[in-house]
Amino acid sequence: MQDAQIAEAYDARAEEYVALLGDIEQMERADVALIGRWRDGTTGSLLDAGCGPGLWTAFLAERGPDVVGVDISAEFLAAARERHSGVRFEAASMRELPFPDGSFGGILAWYSLIHLQPGELPAVLAELARVTAPGGRILVGFFDGEPGERFAHAIAPAYYWSAAALGERLETAGFAVTEVERREREPGAVGSVRPHGALIAERR
């Protein structure tokens, strides 16, 4: 899907999404623990790529002010700015980020790559690598399953990845995978019940 289609799909359901998944207290404790550990172990400025309504951006900003969230959904950005007035948010696509090379010590891409068609993913990972400083770290959250298999996500079509397949693409983009996580979602958790995967990788 093109950015405009994805943005339109999220804009149309932004209010519903924010009510369901717009607050850190609605997130699984395991997600908060992982992202918090990554945040606290990463130096330099941080980018929340595909920040949605800004809950994770604000969580990252608890460490300090050098954090920016970007998204293509105008409605999400409006909600993020209203809910987290002291945090920086910008309209931008991960396909072409408005930042110089090596701008960030860390990038969070938490379930924000899921709508990219498999053939689109390498270019976006290369762009994320471009703005990551050498030694910087990326944390990617994704739906664990058959690599490249499309499924009917609640907002827009999305794709599964495995740690091995996504890790290969991160390696090609210039990262070295340092940590892999896979787990089932907690019974009754808000949002998807599909298996969760996450990778942490360091920019070579």
Side-chain angles (χ1 to χ4, degrees):
M1 294 182 72
Q2 297 300 309
D3 281 352
Q5 295 172 295
I6 297 170
E8 182 178 0
Y10 274 98
D11 282 346
R13 300 186 65 179
E15 185 175 352
E16 174 187 352
Y17 186 102
V18 171
L20 188 66
L21 294 164
D23 191 282
I24 201 75
E25 296 303 320
Q26 295 166 301
M27 300 297 102
E28 286 189 40
R29 294 299 91 192
D31 290 353
V32 176
L34 174 63
I35 295 174
R37 179 167 56 82
W38 172 84
R39 175 198 65 188
D40 295 343
T42 303
T43 58
S45 299
L46 301 179
L47 173 67
D48 185 4
C51 65
L55 67 160
W56 292 118
T57 322
F59 180 68
L60 298 180
E62 291 177 7
R63 193 197 70 178
D66 294 327
V67 176
V68 58
V70 300
D71 207 278
I72 57 174
S73 165
E75 293 296 326
F76 271 166
L77 289 169
R81 289 167 178 146
E82 180 180 356
R83 296 161 71 90
H84 310 290
S85 59
V87 182
R88 177 185 170 196
F89 296 100
E90 295 189 15
S93 169
M94 289 183 287
R95 302 173 197 267
E96 189 174 358
L97 292 164
F99 307 110
D101 295 357
S103 292
F104 299 99
I107 295 181
L108 177 66
W110 196 249
Y111 286 85
S112 55
L113 304 175
I114 61 171
H115 300 299
L116 295 170
Q117 296 177 17
E120 298 175 312
L121 186 62
V124 172
L125 292 179
E127 178 67 353
L128 295 177
R130 180 187 68 78
V131 300
T132 305
R137 304 199 304 161
I138 188 170
L139 170 55
V140 181
F142 59 96
F143 293 111
D144 187 274
E146 183 64 27
E149 179 181 326
R150 176 171 163 156
F151 66 92
H153 182 270
I155 304 294
Y159 298 85
Y160 289 111
W161 287 98
S162 67
L166 186 55
E168 287 177 3
R169 286 157 179 79
L170 282 165
E171 295 273 353
T172 299
F175 293 97
V177 175
T178 60
E179 186 174 335
V180 175
E181 177 182 83
R182 185 194 185 281
R183 54 184 158 82
E184 299 294 327
R185 285 298 185 187
E186 296 174 3
V190 175
S192 176
V193 296
R194 298 180 179 91
H196 157 81
L199 293 175
I200 296 175
E202 184 174 303
R203 182 75 166 98
R204 294 195 298 268

